[in-house]
Coordinates of all heavy atoms in Angstrom, one line a residue:
M21 N -19.5 -30.6 9.3 CA -19.2 -31.4 8.1 C -18.7 -30.3 7.1 O -19.3 -29.3 7.0 CB -20.3 -32.2 7.5 CG -20.7 -33.3 8.4 SD -22.1 -34.2 7.4 CE -22.8 -35.0 8.7
K22 N -17.8 -30.7 6.2 CA -17.3 -29.8 5.2 C -17.9 -30.5 3.8 O -17.3 -31.4 3.3 CB -15.8 -29.8 5.1 CG -15.3 -29.1 6.3 CD -13.8 -28.8 6.2 CE -13.3 -28.0 7.5 NZ -11.8 -27.7 7.3
T23 N -19.1 -30.0 3.5 CA -19.7 -30.6 2.3 C -19.9 -29.4 1.3 O -19.7 -28.2 1.7 CB -21.1 -31.2 2.6 OG1 -21.9 -30.2 3.2 CG2 -20.9 -32.3 3.5
K24 N -20.2 -29.7 0.1 CA -20.4 -28.7 -0.9 C -21.8 -28.7 -1.5 O -22.1 -28.3 -2.6 CB -19.4 -29.0 -2.1 CG -18.0 -28.7 -1.7 CD -17.1 -28.9 -2.9 CE -15.7 -28.7 -2.5 NZ -14.7 -28.7 -3.5
F25 N -22.7 -29.1 -0.6 CA -24.1 -29.2 -1.1 C -24.6 -27.8 -1.6 O -25.4 -27.7 -2.5 CB -25.1 -29.8 0.0 CG -24.9 -31.2 0.4 CD1 -24.6 -31.5 1.6 CD2 -25.0 -32.2 -0.6 CE1 -24.3 -33.0 1.9 CE2 -24.9 -33.5 -0.4 CZ -24.5 -33.8 1.0
D26 N -24.2 -26.7 -0.7 CA -24.7 -25.4 -1.1 C -24.2 -24.9 -2.5 O -24.8 -24.2 -3.1 CB -24.3 -24.5 0.0 CG -22.9 -24.4 0.4 OD1 -22.2 -25.4 -0.1 OD2 -22.4 -23.4 0.9
E27 N -23.1 -25.4 -2.9 CA -22.6 -25.1 -4.2 C -23.2 -25.9 -5.3 O -23.3 -25.4 -6.4 CB -21.1 -25.3 -4.3 CG -20.3 -24.5 -3.2 CD -18.8 -24.9 -3.1 OE1 -18.3 -25.7 -4.1 OE2 -18.2 -24.5 -2.2
L28 N -23.7 -27.1 -5.0 CA -24.2 -27.9 -6.1 C -25.8 -28.0 -6.2 O -26.3 -28.4 -7.3 CB -23.8 -29.4 -5.8 CG -22.3 -29.6 -5.6 CD1 -21.9 -31.0 -5.1 CD2 -21.6 -29.3 -7.0
L29 N -26.4 -27.5 -5.3 CA -27.9 -27.6 -5.3 C -28.6 -26.2 -5.1 O -28.0 -25.3 -4.4 CB -28.4 -28.5 -4.1 CG -27.9 -29.9 -4.1 CD1 -28.3 -30.7 -2.8 CD2 -28.5 -30.7 -5.2
D30 N -29.8 -26.0 -5.7 CA -30.6 -24.9 -5.5 C -31.6 -25.3 -4.5 O -32.3 -26.3 -4.6 CB -31.2 -24.5 -6.7 CG -30.3 -24.0 -7.8 OD1 -29.3 -23.3 -7.3 OD2 -30.5 -24.1 -8.9
F31 N -31.8 -24.5 -3.4 CA -32.8 -24.9 -2.3 C -34.0 -24.0 -2.4 O -33.9 -22.9 -2.9 CB -32.1 -24.6 -0.9 CG -30.9 -25.5 -0.7 CD1 -29.6 -25.1 -0.9 CD2 -31.1 -26.8 -0.3 CE1 -28.5 -26.0 -0.6 CE2 -30.1 -27.7 -0.1 CZ -28.8 -27.2 -0.2
P32 N -35.1 -24.5 -2.0 CA -35.4 -25.9 -1.4 C -35.4 -26.9 -2.6 O -35.7 -26.6 -3.7 CB -36.7 -25.8 -0.8 CG -37.4 -24.7 -1.6 CD -36.3 -23.7 -2.0
T33 N -35.0 -28.1 -2.3 CA -35.0 -29.2 -3.3 C -35.3 -30.5 -2.6 O -35.3 -30.7 -1.4 CB -33.6 -29.3 -3.9 OG1 -33.6 -30.2 -5.0 CG2 -32.5 -29.8 -2.9
V34 N -35.7 -31.5 -3.4 CA -36.0 -32.8 -2.8 C -34.9 -33.7 -3.0 O -34.3 -33.9 -4.0 CB -37.3 -33.4 -3.5 CG1 -37.5 -34.8 -3.0 CG2 -38.5 -32.5 -3.3
L35 N -34.4 -34.3 -1.8 CA -33.3 -35.3 -1.8 C -33.9 -36.7 -1.4 O -34.7 -36.8 -0.6 CB -32.1 -34.9 -0.9 CG -31.3 -33.8 -1.3 CD1 -30.2 -33.6 -0.2 CD2 -30.6 -34.1 -2.6
N36 N -33.4 -37.7 -2.1 CA -33.7 -39.0 -1.7 C -32.7 -39.6 -0.8 O -31.6 -39.7 -1.1 CB -33.8 -39.9 -3.0 CG -34.5 -41.3 -2.7 OD1 -35.4 -41.3 -1.8 ND2 -34.1 -42.3 -3.4
F37 N -33.1 -39.8 0.5 CA -32.1 -40.4 1.5 C -32.3 -41.9 1.5 O -33.5 -42.4 1.4 CB -32.5 -39.9 2.9 CG -32.0 -38.4 3.1 CD1 -32.9 -37.4 2.7 CD2 -30.9 -38.1 3.8 CE1 -32.5 -36.2 2.9 CE2 -30.5 -36.9 3.9 CZ -31.3 -35.8 3.5
K38 N -31.2 -42.7 1.5 CA -31.3 -44.2 1.6 C -30.8 -44.4 2.9 O -29.6 -44.2 3.2 CB -30.5 -44.8 0.5 CG -30.7 -46.3 0.5 CD -30.1 -47.0 -0.6 CE -30.9 -47.0 -1.8 NZ -30.4 -47.8 -2.9
V39 N -31.6 -45.1 3.7 CA -31.1 -45.5 5.1 C -31.1 -47.0 5.2 O -32.1 -47.6 4.9 CB -32.1 -45.0 6.2 CG1 -31.7 -45.3 7.6 CG2 -32.3 -43.5 6.0
M40 N -29.9 -47.6 5.6 CA -29.8 -49.1 5.7 C -29.7 -49.4 7.1 O -28.9 -48.8 7.9 CB -28.7 -49.6 4.9 CG -28.8 -49.5 3.3 SD -27.4 -49.8 2.5 CE -26.7 -48.3 2.2
G41 N -30.6 -50.4 7.6 CA -30.6 -50.8 9.0 C -30.9 -52.1 9.2 O -31.3 -52.9 8.2
V42 N -30.9 -52.6 10.4 CA -31.3 -53.9 10.8 C -32.8 -54.2 10.4 O -33.6 -53.3 10.6 CB -31.1 -54.1 12.3 CG1 -31.6 -55.5 12.8 CG2 -29.7 -53.9 12.7
A43 N -33.1 -55.3 9.9 CA -34.4 -55.7 9.4 C -35.3 -55.8 10.7 O -35.2 -56.7 11.5 CB -34.5 -56.9 8.7
C44 N -36.2 -54.8 10.8 CA -37.2 -54.8 12.0 C -38.5 -54.1 11.5 O -38.2 -53.1 10.6 CB -36.6 -54.3 13.2 SG -36.2 -52.6 13.3
D45 N -39.7 -54.3 12.0 CA -40.8 -53.8 11.5 C -40.9 -52.3 11.8 O -41.5 -51.6 11.1 CB -42.1 -54.5 12.1 CG -42.2 -55.8 11.6 OD1 -41.8 -56.3 10.5 OD2 -42.9 -56.7 12.4
E46 N -40.2 -51.9 12.9 CA -40.3 -50.4 13.3 C -39.3 -49.5 12.6 O -39.4 -48.4 12.8 CB -40.2 -50.3 14.9 CG -38.9 -50.7 15.4 CD -38.9 -52.2 15.8 OE1 -39.8 -53.0 15.6 OE2 -37.8 -52.5 16.4
L47 N -38.4 -50.1 11.8 CA -37.4 -49.2 11.2 C -38.0 -48.1 10.4 O -37.5 -46.9 10.7 CB -36.4 -50.0 10.3 CG -35.3 -49.3 9.7 CD1 -34.4 -48.7 10.8 CD2 -34.5 -50.2 8.8
P48 N -38.9 -48.3 9.5 CA -39.4 -47.1 8.7 C -40.1 -46.1 9.6 O -39.9 -44.9 9.5 CB -40.5 -47.7 7.8 CG -40.1 -49.2 7.7 CD -39.4 -49.5 9.0
D49 N -40.8 -46.6 10.7 CA -41.4 -45.6 11.7 C -40.4 -44.7 12.4 O -40.7 -43.6 12.7 CB -42.4 -46.4 12.6 CG -43.5 -47.1 11.8 OD1 -44.0 -46.6 10.8 OD2 -44.1 -48.1 12.4
L50 N -39.3 -45.4 12.7 CA -38.3 -44.7 13.6 C -37.6 -43.6 12.7 O -37.4 -42.5 13.1 CB -37.2 -45.7 14.0 CG -37.6 -46.7 15.0 CD1 -36.5 -47.8 15.3 CD2 -37.8 -46.0 16.4
I51 N -37.4 -44.0 11.4 CA -36.8 -43.0 10.5 C -37.8 -41.8 10.2 O -37.4 -40.7 10.2 CB -36.6 -43.7 9.1 CG1 -35.4 -44.7 9.3 CG2 -36.2 -42.7 8.0 CD1 -35.2 -45.6 8.2
I52 N -39.1 -42.1 10.0 CA -40.1 -41.1 9.7 C -40.2 -40.3 11.0 O -40.3 -39.0 10.9 CB -41.5 -41.7 9.3 CG1 -41.3 -42.3 7.9 CG2 -42.6 -40.7 9.4 CD1 -42.4 -43.1 7.5
A53 N -40.2 -40.9 12.2 CA -40.4 -40.0 13.4 C -39.2 -39.0 13.6 O -39.4 -38.0 13.9 CB -40.4 -41.0 14.6
E54 N -38.0 -39.5 13.2 CA -36.9 -38.6 13.2 C -36.9 -37.5 12.2 O -36.6 -36.3 12.5 CB -35.6 -39.4 13.1 CG -34.3 -38.8 13.6 CD -34.3 -38.6 15.1 OE1 -34.8 -39.4 15.8 OE2 -33.8 -37.5 15.5
L55 N -37.5 -37.8 11.0 CA -37.6 -36.8 10.0 C -38.6 -35.7 10.3 O -38.5 -34.6 10.1 CB -38.0 -37.5 8.6 CG -36.9 -38.3 8.0 CD1 -37.5 -38.9 6.7 CD2 -35.8 -37.3 7.5
Q56 N -39.7 -36.2 11.0 CA -40.7 -35.3 11.5 C -40.3 -34.2 12.4 O -40.8 -33.1 12.4 CB -41.9 -36.1 12.2 CG -42.7 -37.0 11.2 CD -43.6 -36.3 10.1 OE1 -43.7 -35.0 10.1 NE2 -44.2 -37.0 9.3
K57 N -39.2 -34.5 13.1 CA -38.6 -33.5 14.0 C -38.1 -32.3 13.4 O -38.1 -31.2 13.7 CB -37.6 -34.1 14.9 CG -38.1 -35.2 15.9 CD -36.9 -35.8 16.6 CE -37.3 -37.0 17.5 NZ -36.1 -37.5 18.1
H58 N -37.5 -32.6 12.2 CA -36.7 -31.6 11.4 C -37.5 -31.1 10.1 O -37.3 -30.0 9.7 CB -35.4 -32.0 11.0 CG -34.7 -32.6 12.2 ND1 -34.2 -31.8 13.1 CD2 -34.3 -33.8 12.4 CE1 -33.6 -32.6 14.1 NE2 -33.7 -33.8 13.7
T59 N -38.3 -32.0 9.6 CA -38.9 -31.7 8.2 C -40.4 -32.3 8.4 O -40.6 -33.4 7.7 CB -38.2 -32.2 7.1 OG1 -36.9 -31.7 7.2 CG2 -38.8 -31.7 5.7
P60 N -41.3 -31.7 8.9 CA -42.7 -32.3 9.1 C -43.3 -32.5 7.7 O -43.1 -31.7 6.8 CB -43.5 -31.3 9.8 CG -42.5 -30.5 10.6 CD -41.2 -30.5 9.7
G61 N -44.0 -33.6 7.5 CA -44.5 -33.9 6.2 C -45.1 -35.4 6.1 O -45.0 -36.1 7.1
D62 N -45.7 -35.6 5.0 CA -46.2 -37.1 4.7 C -45.2 -37.7 3.9 O -44.7 -37.3 2.8 CB -47.5 -37.0 3.9 CG -48.7 -36.4 4.7 OD1 -48.7 -36.6 5.9 OD2 -49.5 -35.7 4.1
Y63 N -44.7 -38.9 4.5 CA -43.5 -39.6 3.8 C -44.1 -41.0 3.4 O -44.9 -41.5 4.0 CB -42.4 -39.7 4.7 CG -41.8 -38.4 5.1 CD1 -41.9 -37.8 6.3 CD2 -40.9 -37.8 4.1 CE1 -41.4 -36.6 6.6 CE2 -40.4 -36.6 4.4 CZ -40.6 -36.0 5.6 OH -40.1 -34.7 5.9
S64 N -43.6 -41.4 2.2 CA -43.9 -42.8 1.7 C -42.6 -43.5 1.5 O -42.1 -43.5 0.4 CB -44.7 -42.6 0.4 OG -45.9 -41.9 0.5
P65 N -42.0 -44.2 2.5 CA -40.8 -44.8 2.3 C -40.9 -46.1 1.4 O -42.0 -46.7 1.4 CB -40.4 -45.2 3.7 CG -41.6 -45.3 4.4 CD -42.6 -44.3 3.8
K66 N -39.8 -46.4 0.7 CA -39.8 -47.6 -0.1 C -38.8 -48.6 0.6 O -37.7 -48.2 0.8 CB -39.3 -47.3 -1.5 CG -40.3 -46.5 -2.3 CD -39.8 -46.2 -3.6 CE -40.8 -45.2 -4.4 NZ -40.3 -44.5 -5.4
I67 N -39.3 -49.7 1.0 CA -38.5 -50.7 1.8 C -38.1 -51.8 0.9 O -38.9 -52.4 0.1 CB -39.3 -51.1 3.0 CG1 -39.7 -50.0 3.7 CG2 -38.4 -52.1 3.8 CD1 -40.9 -50.3 4.7
K68 N -36.8 -52.2 0.9 CA -36.2 -53.3 0.1 C -35.4 -54.1 1.1 O -34.4 -53.6 1.7 CB -35.4 -52.7 -1.0 CG -34.9 -53.7 -1.9 CD -34.2 -53.0 -3.1 CE -33.7 -54.1 -4.1 NZ -33.0 -53.4 -5.2
P69 N -35.8 -55.4 1.3 CA -35.0 -56.3 2.1 C -33.7 -56.7 1.5 O -33.6 -56.8 0.2 CB -35.9 -57.5 2.4 CG -36.9 -57.4 1.2 CD -37.0 -56.0 0.8
S70 N -32.7 -57.1 2.2 CA -31.5 -57.6 1.7 C -31.7 -59.0 1.3 O -32.7 -59.7 1.5 CB -30.4 -57.5 2.7 OG -30.6 -58.5 3.8
S71 N -30.8 -59.6 0.5 CA -30.9 -61.0 0.0 C -31.1 -62.0 1.1 O -31.9 -62.9 0.9 CB -29.7 -61.3 -0.9 OG -28.6 -61.3 -0.2
K72 N -30.5 -61.8 2.2 CA -30.6 -62.7 3.3 C -31.7 -62.3 4.3 O -32.1 -63.1 5.3 CB -29.3 -62.9 4.0 CG -28.3 -63.6 3.2 CD -26.9 -63.8 4.0 CE -25.9 -64.4 3.2 NZ -24.7 -64.6 3.9
G73 N -32.2 -61.2 4.1 CA -33.3 -60.6 5.0 C -32.9 -60.0 6.3 O -33.7 -59.8 7.1
N74 N -31.6 -59.9 6.5 CA -31.0 -59.4 7.7 C -31.1 -57.9 7.9 O -31.1 -57.3 8.9 CB -29.6 -59.8 8.0 CG -29.4 -61.3 8.1 OD1 -30.3 -62.0 8.7 ND2 -28.3 -61.8 7.7
Y75 N -31.2 -57.2 6.7 CA -31.2 -55.8 6.7 C -32.3 -55.3 5.8 O -32.7 -56.0 4.9 CB -29.9 -55.2 6.1 CG -28.7 -55.6 7.1 CD1 -28.0 -56.7 6.9 CD2 -28.4 -54.8 8.2 CE1 -26.9 -57.0 7.8 CE2 -27.4 -55.1 9.1 CZ -26.6 -56.3 8.8 OH -25.6 -56.5 9.7
H76 N -32.7 -54.0 6.0 CA -33.7 -53.4 5.1 C -33.0 -52.1 4.6 O -32.3 -51.4 5.4 CB -34.9 -53.0 5.8 CG -35.8 -54.2 6.1 ND1 -36.9 -54.2 6.8 CD2 -35.9 -55.4 5.5 CE1 -37.5 -55.3 6.8 NE2 -36.9 -56.0 6.0
S77 N -33.3 -51.7 3.4 CA -33.0 -50.4 2.7 C -34.2 -49.7 2.7 O -35.2 -50.0 2.0 CB -32.2 -50.6 1.4 OG -32.1 -49.4 0.7
V78 N -34.3 -48.4 3.3 CA -35.4 -47.6 3.2 C -35.1 -46.3 2.5 O -34.2 -45.6 2.9 CB -35.9 -47.3 4.7 CG1 -37.1 -46.4 4.6 CG2 -36.0 -48.5 5.5
S79 N -35.7 -46.1 1.3 CA -35.5 -44.9 0.6 C -36.7 -44.0 0.8 O -37.8 -44.4 0.9 CB -35.5 -45.2 -0.9 OG -34.3 -46.1 -1.2
I80 N -36.3 -42.6 1.0 CA -37.4 -41.7 1.5 C -37.1 -40.3 0.8 O -35.9 -39.9 1.0 CB -37.5 -41.7 2.9 CG1 -38.8 -41.0 3.3 CG2 -36.4 -41.2 3.6 CD1 -39.3 -41.3 4.7
A81 N -37.9 -39.8 0.2 CA -37.8 -38.4 -0.4 C -38.1 -37.4 0.6 O -39.1 -37.3 1.2 CB -38.6 -38.2 -1.7
V82 N -37.1 -36.3 0.8 CA -37.3 -35.3 1.8 C -36.9 -34.0 1.1 O -36.0 -33.8 0.4 CB -36.3 -35.5 2.9 CG1 -36.5 -34.4 4.0 CG2 -36.5 -36.9 3.5
T83 N -37.8 -33.0 1.4 CA -37.6 -31.6 0.9 C -36.6 -30.9 1.9 O -36.9 -30.8 3.1 CB -38.9 -30.8 0.7 OG1 -39.8 -31.5 -0.1 CG2 -38.6 -29.4 0.2
V84 N -35.4 -30.6 1.4 CA -34.5 -29.8 2.2 C -34.3 -28.4 1.9 O -34.5 -28.0 0.7 CB -33.1 -30.6 2.2 CG1 -33.1 -31.9 2.9 CG2 -32.6 -30.7 0.8
T85 N -34.0 -27.5 2.9 CA -33.9 -26.1 2.6 C -32.5 -25.5 2.6 O -32.4 -24.4 2.2 CB -34.8 -25.4 3.6 OG1 -34.3 -25.8 5.0 CG2 -36.2 -25.8 3.5
S86 N -31.5 -26.3 3.1 CA -30.2 -25.7 3.1 C -29.1 -26.8 3.3 O -29.6 -28.0 3.7 CB -30.0 -24.7 4.3 OG -30.2 -25.4 5.5
K87 N -27.9 -26.5 3.2 CA -26.8 -27.4 3.5 C -26.9 -27.9 4.9 O -26.7 -29.0 5.2 CB -25.5 -26.7 3.2 CG -24.3 -27.5 3.7 CD -23.0 -26.5 3.6 CE -21.9 -27.2 4.3 NZ -20.7 -26.3 4.2
E88 N -27.1 -27.0 5.8 CA -27.2 -27.3 7.2 C -28.4 -28.3 7.5 O -28.2 -29.2 8.3 CB -27.4 -26.1 8.0 CG -26.1 -25.0 8.0 CD -26.0 -24.2 6.8 OE1 -26.9 -24.1 6.0 OE2 -24.9 -23.8 6.5
H89 N -29.4 -28.0 6.8 CA -30.6 -28.9 6.9 C -30.3 -30.3 6.5 O -30.5 -31.3 7.2 CB -31.7 -28.4 6.2 CG -33.0 -29.0 6.4 ND1 -34.1 -28.9 5.5 CD2 -33.6 -29.6 7.5 CE1 -35.2 -29.6 6.0 NE2 -34.9 -30.0 7.2
I90 N -29.5 -30.5 5.4 CA -29.1 -31.9 5.0 C -28.3 -32.5 6.0 O -28.5 -33.7 6.4 CB -28.4 -31.8 3.6 CG1 -29.3 -31.2 2.5 CG2 -27.8 -33.2 3.3 CD1 -28.6 -30.9 1.3
E91 N -27.3 -31.8 6.5 CA -26.4 -32.3 7.5 C -27.0 -32.7 8.8 O -26.7 -33.7 9.4 CB -25.2 -31.2 7.7 CG -24.3 -31.1 6.6 CD -23.4 -30.0 6.7 OE1 -23.5 -29.2 7.6 OE2 -22.5 -29.8 5.8
L92 N -28.0 -31.9 9.3 CA -28.8 -32.2 10.4 C -29.6 -33.5 10.2 O -29.7 -34.3 11.2 CB -29.8 -31.0 10.7 CG -30.7 -31.1 11.9 CD1 -29.9 -31.2 13.2 CD2 -31.7 -30.0 11.9
I93 N -30.2 -33.6 9.1 CA -30.9 -34.9 8.9 C -30.0 -36.1 8.9 O -30.3 -37.2 9.5 CB -31.7 -34.8 7.5 CG1 -32.8 -33.8 7.6 CG2 -32.3 -36.2 7.0 CD1 -33.5 -33.3 6.4
Y94 N -28.9 -36.0 8.2 CA -27.9 -37.2 8.2 C -27.5 -37.5 9.7 O -27.5 -38.7 10.0 CB -26.7 -36.7 7.4 CG -26.7 -37.1 6.0 CD1 -26.8 -36.1 5.0 CD2 -26.7 -38.4 5.5 CE1 -26.8 -36.4 3.6 CE2 -26.7 -38.7 4.2 CZ -26.8 -37.7 3.2 OH -26.8 -37.9 1.9
Q95 N -27.2 -36.5 10.4 CA -26.8 -36.7 11.8 C -27.8 -37.3 12.7 O -27.7 -38.1 13.4 CB -26.1 -35.5 12.4 CG -24.8 -35.0 11.8 CD -24.4 -33.6 12.2 OE1 -25.3 -32.9 12.9 NE2 -23.3 -33.2 11.9
S96 N -29.1 -36.7 12.5 CA -30.2 -37.3 13.2 C -30.6 -38.7 12.9 O -30.8 -39.5 13.8 CB -31.4 -36.4 12.8 OG -32.5 -36.8 13.5
L97 N -30.5 -39.1 11.6 CA -30.8 -40.4 11.2 C -29.8 -41.4 11.7 O -30.2 -42.6 12.0 CB -31.0 -40.5 9.7 CG -32.1 -39.8 9.1 CD1 -32.1 -40.0 7.5 CD2 -33.4 -40.4 9.5
T98 N -28.6 -41.0 11.8 CA -27.5 -41.9 12.3 C -27.6 -42.2 13.8 O -26.9 -43.1 14.4 CB -26.1 -41.5 12.0 OG1 -25.9 -40.1 12.6 CG2 -25.8 -41.4 10.5
T99 N -28.4 -41.4 14.5 CA -28.5 -41.7 15.9 C -29.6 -42.8 16.2 O -29.6 -43.2 17.4 CB -29.0 -40.4 16.6 OG1 -30.4 -40.0 16.1 CG2 -28.1 -39.2 16.5
I100 N -30.3 -43.3 15.3 CA -31.2 -44.3 15.4 C -30.4 -45.7 15.6 O -29.6 -46.0 14.8 CB -32.2 -44.5 14.3 CG1 -33.0 -43.2 14.2 CG2 -33.0 -45.7 14.4 CD1 -33.8 -43.1 12.8
E101 N -30.7 -46.3 16.7 CA -29.8 -47.6 17.1 C -29.8 -48.6 16.0 O -28.8 -49.2 15.7 CB -30.4 -48.1 18.3 CG -29.6 -49.3 18.8 CD -30.1 -49.9 20.2 OE1 -30.9 -49.1 20.9 OE2 -29.8 -51.0 20.4
Q102 N -30.9 -48.8 15.3 CA -31.0 -49.9 14.3 C -30.3 -49.5 12.9 O -30.1 -50.4 12.0 CB -32.4 -50.2 14.0 CG -33.2 -50.9 15.2 CD -33.7 -49.9 16.2 OE1 -33.3 -48.7 16.2 NE2 -34.5 -50.4 17.1
V103 N -30.0 -48.2 12.7 CA -29.5 -47.8 11.4 C -28.0 -48.0 11.3 O -27.2 -47.8 12.4 CB -29.8 -46.3 11.3 CG1 -28.9 -45.7 10.1 CG2 -31.2 -45.9 11.0
R104 N -27.6 -48.6 10.2 CA -26.2 -48.8 10.0 C -25.5 -47.8 9.1 O -24.3 -47.4 9.3 CB -26.0 -50.2 9.5 CG -26.4 -51.3 10.4 CD -25.6 -51.3 11.7 NE -26.1 -52.3 12.6 CZ -26.8 -52.1 13.7 NH1 -27.2 -50.8 14.0 NH2 -27.2 -53.1 14.5
Y105 N -26.3 -47.4 8.0 CA -25.7 -46.4 7.1 C -26.8 -45.5 6.6 O -27.9 -45.8 6.5 CB -25.2 -47.1 5.8 CG -24.0 -48.2 6.1 CD1 -24.3 -49.5 6.1 CD2 -22.7 -47.7 6.3 CE1 -23.2 -50.4 6.3 CE2 -21.7 -48.5 6.5 CZ -22.0 -49.9 6.6 OH -21.1 -50.7 6.8
V106 N -26.3 -44.2 6.3 CA -27.2 -43.2 5.7 C -26.5 -42.7 4.5 O -25.4 -42.2 4.5 CB -27.6 -42.1 6.6 CG1 -28.6 -41.1 6.0 CG2 -28.2 -42.6 7.9
L107 N -27.2 -42.8 3.3 CA -26.6 -42.3 2.0 C -27.4 -41.3 1.4 O -28.7 -41.3 1.7 CB -26.6 -43.5 1.0 CG -25.8 -44.7 1.5 CD1 -25.9 -45.8 0.4 CD2 -24.3 -44.4 1.7

């Protein structure tokens, strides 16, 4: 990816990732499991259902150490089958 995170941020820093996916009970656990592979820690996701209840938005704060680390997390989260978008 050609991003400018390294020019805009001082590392390490905390970024809030917003993951939108199909509404299912295991979505936050799947996201946390994927994050634990790259950034072990205690996470407290905030879950917000869509107006019709078909999707959930999961916001989670993650400490990142580099531009490559951010890109790795984005790519990793998009591999989850239930995930539709990662912001």
